[in-house]
Amino acid sequence: KQEVTQIPAALSVPEGENLVLNCSFTDSAIYNLQWFRQDPGKGLTSLLLIQSSQREQTSGRLNASLDKSSGRSTLYIAASQPGDSATYLCAVLFYGNNRLAFGKGNQVVVIP
Amino acid sequence: SAVISQKPSRDICQRGTSLTIQCQVDSQVTMMFWYRQQPGQSLTLIATANQGSEATYESGFVIDKFPISRPNLTFSTLTVSNMSPEDSSIYLCSARRDKGETQYFGPGTRLLVL
């Protein structure tokens, strides 16, 4: 079964610390992996898309890595700010599917 | 990128009535999707909206309850029929140009059924 897992469900970090969020998936046969941010009651904002042939993607303070063989991706947010408080969702497009498989998300609070 | 808008942004409806949610994408896309997100939960895919043909529904969702239209490559509607309080959720429209590309989401429609 193709599943995506994000642990822990919730975490808090002091402002200025680096955030590390983990995503694991059960099948290495993927097209790509996407990280999203969701603020309460809002839609999803795409942060980074990593193709299966790539090892990492960077955008500003965000860096996402992909290790297909171990079924893992990590999202790093450098020098966290209170505005980074949100739920972060990992989603995988597995081969043989047209639809994204979502993890349950990491709810992040950055404490000023 | 693609910008997706949804109407209405929120609504309060009475049990037994129906609501149609509209989704507009600012550019042509191959794939459009409808999701539901219940409070405190992750996203659940309702169906893939196919242009010019019937939508493809996920297990647990049926056309009579959630009829979907997709008349062209930029627009889709989702109707929530014969609503009950259990249908209270955020409904999200999503789109992607092609398999290898970024998937974008609309701002969502917050539905409360009394």
Side-chain angles (χ1 to χ4, degrees), chain B residues 59-84:
Chain B
S59 176
F61 297 95
V62 294
I63 188 171
D64 289 347
K65 175 68 175 177
F66 297 101
I68 288 171
S69 78
R70 189 173 171 195
N72 56 48
L73 292 175
T74 64
F75 185 79
S76 178
T77 67
L78 168 75
T79 299
V80 186
S81 303
N82 188 24
M83 288 185 284
S84 67

mmCIF file of all heavy atoms in Angstrom, chain B residues 59-84:
data_model
loop_
_atom_site.group_PDB
_atom_site.id
_atom_site.type_symbol
_atom_site.label_atom_id
_atom_site.label_comp_id
_atom_site.label_asym_id
_atom_site.label_seq_id
_atom_site.Cartn_x
_atom_site.Cartn_y
_atom_site.Cartn_z
ATOM 1 N N SER B 59 -13.236 5.875 -3.570
ATOM 2 C CA SER B 59 -14.060 4.988 -2.770
ATOM 3 C C SER B 59 -14.752 5.774 -1.655
ATOM 4 O O SER B 59 -14.117 6.570 -0.956
ATOM 5 C CB SER B 59 -13.178 3.896 -2.166
ATOM 6 O OG SER B 59 -13.916 3.071 -1.303
ATOM 7 N N GLY B 60 -16.044 5.556 -1.523
ATOM 8 C CA GLY B 60 -16.812 6.232 -0.479
ATOM 9 C C GLY B 60 -17.524 7.486 -0.959
ATOM 10 O O GLY B 60 -18.292 8.074 -0.200
ATOM 11 N N PHE B 61 -17.271 7.892 -2.188
ATOM 12 C CA PHE B 61 -17.921 9.087 -2.752
ATOM 13 C C PHE B 61 -18.663 8.685 -4.023
ATOM 14 O O PHE B 61 -18.132 7.935 -4.844
ATOM 15 C CB PHE B 61 -16.886 10.164 -3.060
ATOM 16 C CG PHE B 61 -16.161 10.678 -1.852
ATOM 17 C CD1 PHE B 61 -14.935 10.149 -1.489
ATOM 18 C CD2 PHE B 61 -16.705 11.677 -1.059
ATOM 19 C CE1 PHE B 61 -14.259 10.602 -0.369
ATOM 20 C CE2 PHE B 61 -16.044 12.140 0.066
ATOM 21 C CZ PHE B 61 -14.824 11.602 0.412
ATOM 22 N N VAL B 62 -19.896 9.202 -4.164
ATOM 23 C CA VAL B 62 -20.728 8.805 -5.311
ATOM 24 C C VAL B 62 -21.253 10.034 -6.030
ATOM 25 O O VAL B 62 -21.421 11.105 -5.442
ATOM 26 C CB VAL B 62 -21.911 7.907 -4.877
ATOM 27 C CG1 VAL B 62 -21.370 6.578 -4.339
ATOM 28 C CG2 VAL B 62 -22.779 8.594 -3.840
ATOM 29 N N ILE B 63 -21.551 9.824 -7.303
ATOM 30 C CA ILE B 63 -21.965 10.922 -8.160
ATOM 31 C C ILE B 63 -23.277 11.550 -7.715
ATOM 32 O O ILE B 63 -23.459 12.755 -7.843
ATOM 33 C CB ILE B 63 -22.036 10.450 -9.634
ATOM 34 C CG1 ILE B 63 -22.273 11.627 -10.580
ATOM 35 C CG2 ILE B 63 -23.113 9.388 -9.812
ATOM 36 C CD1 ILE B 63 -22.135 11.281 -12.043
ATOM 37 N N ASP B 64 -24.194 10.760 -7.174
ATOM 38 C CA ASP B 64 -25.488 11.309 -6.765
ATOM 39 C C ASP B 64 -25.324 12.310 -5.622
ATOM 40 O O ASP B 64 -26.091 13.268 -5.522
ATOM 41 C CB ASP B 64 -26.430 10.189 -6.330
ATOM 42 C CG ASP B 64 -26.900 9.353 -7.499
ATOM 43 O OD1 ASP B 64 -26.699 9.794 -8.650
ATOM 44 O OD2 ASP B 64 -27.448 8.258 -7.273
ATOM 45 N N LYS B 65 -24.340 12.079 -4.774
ATOM 46 C CA LYS B 65 -24.108 12.951 -3.630
ATOM 47 C C LYS B 65 -23.207 14.137 -4.002
ATOM 48 O O LYS B 65 -23.407 15.251 -3.521
ATOM 49 C CB LYS B 65 -23.457 12.142 -2.510
ATOM 50 C CG LYS B 65 -23.049 12.930 -1.295
ATOM 51 C CD LYS B 65 -24.250 13.464 -0.522
ATOM 52 C CE LYS B 65 -23.799 14.158 0.758
ATOM 53 N NZ LYS B 65 -24.944 14.755 1.480
ATOM 54 N N PHE B 66 -22.235 13.906 -4.858
ATOM 55 C CA PHE B 66 -21.253 14.934 -5.224
ATOM 56 C C PHE B 66 -21.125 15.053 -6.745
ATOM 57 O O PHE B 66 -20.073 14.755 -7.318
ATOM 58 C CB PHE B 66 -19.883 14.592 -4.632
ATOM 59 C CG PHE B 66 -19.839 14.561 -3.131
ATOM 60 C CD1 PHE B 66 -19.866 13.352 -2.440
ATOM 61 C CD2 PHE B 66 -19.763 15.738 -2.393
ATOM 62 C CE1 PHE B 66 -19.818 13.319 -1.052
ATOM 63 C CE2 PHE B 66 -19.719 15.713 -1.007
ATOM 64 C CZ PHE B 66 -19.745 14.505 -0.342
ATOM 65 N N PRO B 67 -22.172 15.503 -7.416
ATOM 66 C CA PRO B 67 -22.042 15.662 -8.879
ATOM 67 C C PRO B 67 -21.015 16.737 -9.217
ATOM 68 O O PRO B 67 -20.938 17.772 -8.556
ATOM 69 C CB PRO B 67 -23.463 16.063 -9.326
ATOM 70 C CG PRO B 67 -24.185 16.454 -8.096
ATOM 71 C CD PRO B 67 -23.523 15.818 -6.925
ATOM 72 N N ILE B 68 -20.229 16.454 -10.240
ATOM 73 C CA ILE B 68 -19.134 17.340 -10.652
ATOM 74 C C ILE B 68 -19.276 17.621 -12.142
ATOM 75 O O ILE B 68 -19.576 16.729 -12.925
ATOM 76 C CB ILE B 68 -17.776 16.662 -10.376
ATOM 77 C CG1 ILE B 68 -17.481 16.627 -8.875
ATOM 78 C CG2 ILE B 68 -16.639 17.367 -11.111
ATOM 79 C CD1 ILE B 68 -16.287 15.790 -8.495
ATOM 80 N N SER B 69 -19.031 18.887 -12.490
ATOM 81 C CA SER B 69 -18.973 19.229 -13.909
ATOM 82 C C SER B 69 -17.601 19.802 -14.225
ATOM 83 O O SER B 69 -16.940 20.391 -13.358
ATOM 84 C CB SER B 69 -20.065 20.246 -14.267
ATOM 85 O OG SER B 69 -19.683 21.549 -13.863
ATOM 86 N N ARG B 70 -17.173 19.612 -15.463
ATOM 87 C CA ARG B 70 -15.942 20.236 -15.936
ATOM 88 C C ARG B 70 -16.120 20.517 -17.435
ATOM 89 O O ARG B 70 -15.682 19.748 -18.276
ATOM 90 C CB ARG B 70 -14.733 19.361 -15.702
ATOM 91 C CG ARG B 70 -13.472 20.165 -16.006
ATOM 92 C CD ARG B 70 -12.208 19.496 -15.672
ATOM 93 N NE ARG B 70 -11.107 20.290 -16.209
ATOM 94 C CZ ARG B 70 -9.882 19.859 -16.341
ATOM 95 N NH1 ARG B 70 -9.568 18.625 -15.984
ATOM 96 N NH2 ARG B 70 -8.942 20.648 -16.824
ATOM 97 N N PRO B 71 -16.697 21.667 -17.737
ATOM 98 C CA PRO B 71 -17.023 21.961 -19.132
ATOM 99 C C PRO B 71 -15.819 22.342 -19.991
ATOM 100 O O PRO B 71 -15.894 22.237 -21.209
ATOM 101 C CB PRO B 71 -18.001 23.130 -19.029
ATOM 102 C CG PRO B 71 -17.669 23.776 -17.726
ATOM 103 C CD PRO B 71 -17.224 22.669 -16.812
ATOM 104 N N ASN B 72 -14.733 22.795 -19.363
ATOM 105 C CA ASN B 72 -13.552 23.190 -20.146
ATOM 106 C C ASN B 72 -12.293 22.995 -19.303
ATOM 107 O O ASN B 72 -12.348 22.411 -18.204
ATOM 108 C CB ASN B 72 -13.692 24.637 -20.621
ATOM 109 C CG ASN B 72 -13.922 25.601 -19.481
ATOM 110 O OD1 ASN B 72 -13.208 25.560 -18.479
ATOM 111 N ND2 ASN B 72 -14.919 26.472 -19.618
ATOM 112 N N LEU B 73 -11.156 23.489 -19.797
ATOM 113 C CA LEU B 73 -9.871 23.220 -19.142
ATOM 114 C C LEU B 73 -9.544 24.188 -18.015
ATOM 115 O O LEU B 73 -8.458 24.117 -17.435
ATOM 116 C CB LEU B 73 -8.744 23.252 -20.183
ATOM 117 C CG LEU B 73 -8.779 22.109 -21.200
ATOM 118 C CD1 LEU B 73 -7.691 22.308 -22.250
ATOM 119 C CD2 LEU B 73 -8.619 20.760 -20.522
ATOM 120 N N THR B 74 -10.459 25.115 -17.691
ATOM 121 C CA THR B 74 -10.175 26.079 -16.634
ATOM 122 C C THR B 74 -11.242 26.149 -15.556
ATOM 123 O O THR B 74 -11.100 26.904 -14.593
ATOM 124 C CB THR B 74 -10.001 27.499 -17.221
ATOM 125 O OG1 THR B 74 -11.247 27.910 -17.815
ATOM 126 C CG2 THR B 74 -8.894 27.553 -18.252
ATOM 127 N N PHE B 75 -12.317 25.399 -15.668
ATOM 128 C CA PHE B 75 -13.462 25.582 -14.779
ATOM 129 C C PHE B 75 -14.070 24.244 -14.377
ATOM 130 O O PHE B 75 -14.165 23.311 -15.184
ATOM 131 C CB PHE B 75 -14.519 26.444 -15.483
ATOM 132 C CG PHE B 75 -15.692 26.810 -14.617
ATOM 133 C CD1 PHE B 75 -15.588 27.837 -13.686
ATOM 134 C CD2 PHE B 75 -16.902 26.131 -14.729
ATOM 135 C CE1 PHE B 75 -16.665 28.185 -12.887
ATOM 136 C CE2 PHE B 75 -17.985 26.469 -13.932
ATOM 137 C CZ PHE B 75 -17.865 27.506 -13.013
ATOM 138 N N SER B 76 -14.498 24.181 -13.099
ATOM 139 C CA SER B 76 -15.183 22.985 -12.617
ATOM 140 C C SER B 76 -16.134 23.382 -11.500
ATOM 141 O O SER B 76 -15.943 24.419 -10.841
ATOM 142 C CB SER B 76 -14.175 21.962 -12.083
ATOM 143 O OG SER B 76 -14.831 20.810 -11.564
ATOM 144 N N THR B 77 -17.176 22.593 -11.308
ATOM 145 C CA THR B 77 -18.074 22.779 -10.171
ATOM 146 C C THR B 77 -18.249 21.475 -9.428
ATOM 147 O O THR B 77 -18.209 20.396 -10.018
ATOM 148 C CB THR B 77 -19.466 23.284 -10.595
ATOM 149 O OG1 THR B 77 -20.134 22.269 -11.356
ATOM 150 C CG2 THR B 77 -19.379 24.569 -11.391
ATOM 151 N N LEU B 78 -18.442 21.613 -8.123
ATOM 152 C CA LEU B 78 -18.771 20.484 -7.241
ATOM 153 C C LEU B 78 -20.070 20.841 -6.539
ATOM 154 O O LEU B 78 -20.180 21.921 -5.963
ATOM 155 C CB LEU B 78 -17.671 20.261 -6.211
ATOM 156 C CG LEU B 78 -18.008 19.317 -5.048
ATOM 157 C CD1 LEU B 78 -18.003 17.869 -5.521
ATOM 158 C CD2 LEU B 78 -17.026 19.485 -3.889
ATOM 159 N N THR B 79 -21.036 19.954 -6.594
ATOM 160 C CA THR B 79 -22.281 20.144 -5.862
ATOM 161 C C THR B 79 -22.319 19.169 -4.693
ATOM 162 O O THR B 79 -22.028 17.982 -4.869
ATOM 163 C CB THR B 79 -23.502 19.927 -6.778
ATOM 164 O OG1 THR B 79 -23.466 20.888 -7.842
ATOM 165 C CG2 THR B 79 -24.806 20.094 -6.007
ATOM 166 N N VAL B 80 -22.655 19.684 -3.540
ATOM 167 C CA VAL B 80 -22.880 18.827 -2.378
ATOM 168 C C VAL B 80 -24.399 18.733 -2.227
ATOM 169 O O VAL B 80 -25.061 19.755 -1.956
ATOM 170 C CB VAL B 80 -22.228 19.400 -1.111
ATOM 171 C CG1 VAL B 80 -22.358 18.405 0.045
ATOM 172 C CG2 VAL B 80 -20.762 19.734 -1.363
ATOM 173 N N SER B 81 -24.946 17.554 -2.446
ATOM 174 C CA SER B 81 -26.392 17.380 -2.533
ATOM 175 C C SER B 81 -26.985 16.856 -1.240
ATOM 176 O O SER B 81 -26.316 16.130 -0.482
ATOM 177 C CB SER B 81 -26.728 16.383 -3.663
ATOM 178 O OG SER B 81 -26.209 16.809 -4.887
ATOM 179 N N ASN B 82 -28.247 17.232 -1.003
ATOM 180 C CA ASN B 82 -28.988 16.706 0.138
ATOM 181 C C ASN B 82 -28.110 16.701 1.382
ATOM 182 O O ASN B 82 -27.848 15.666 1.989
ATOM 183 C CB ASN B 82 -29.490 15.298 -0.170
ATOM 184 C CG ASN B 82 -30.426 14.767 0.891
ATOM 185 O OD1 ASN B 82 -31.064 15.542 1.618
ATOM 186 N ND2 ASN B 82 -30.504 13.457 1.018
ATOM 187 N N MET B 83 -27.666 17.892 1.761
ATOM 188 C CA MET B 83 -26.641 18.018 2.796
ATOM 189 C C MET B 83 -27.138 17.621 4.176
ATOM 190 O O MET B 83 -28.310 17.799 4.529
ATOM 191 C CB MET B 83 -26.130 19.455 2.820
ATOM 192 C CG MET B 83 -25.260 19.788 1.614
ATOM 193 S SD MET B 83 -24.556 21.431 1.707
ATOM 194 C CE MET B 83 -25.991 22.434 1.284
ATOM 195 N N SER B 84 -26.193 17.095 4.949
ATOM 196 C CA SER B 84 -26.407 16.792 6.365
ATOM 197 C C SER B 84 -25.263 17.425 7.150
ATOM 198 O O SER B 84 -24.243 17.824 6.554
ATOM 199 C CB SER B 84 -26.415 15.272 6.583
ATOM 200 O OG SER B 84 -25.134 14.745 6.336
#
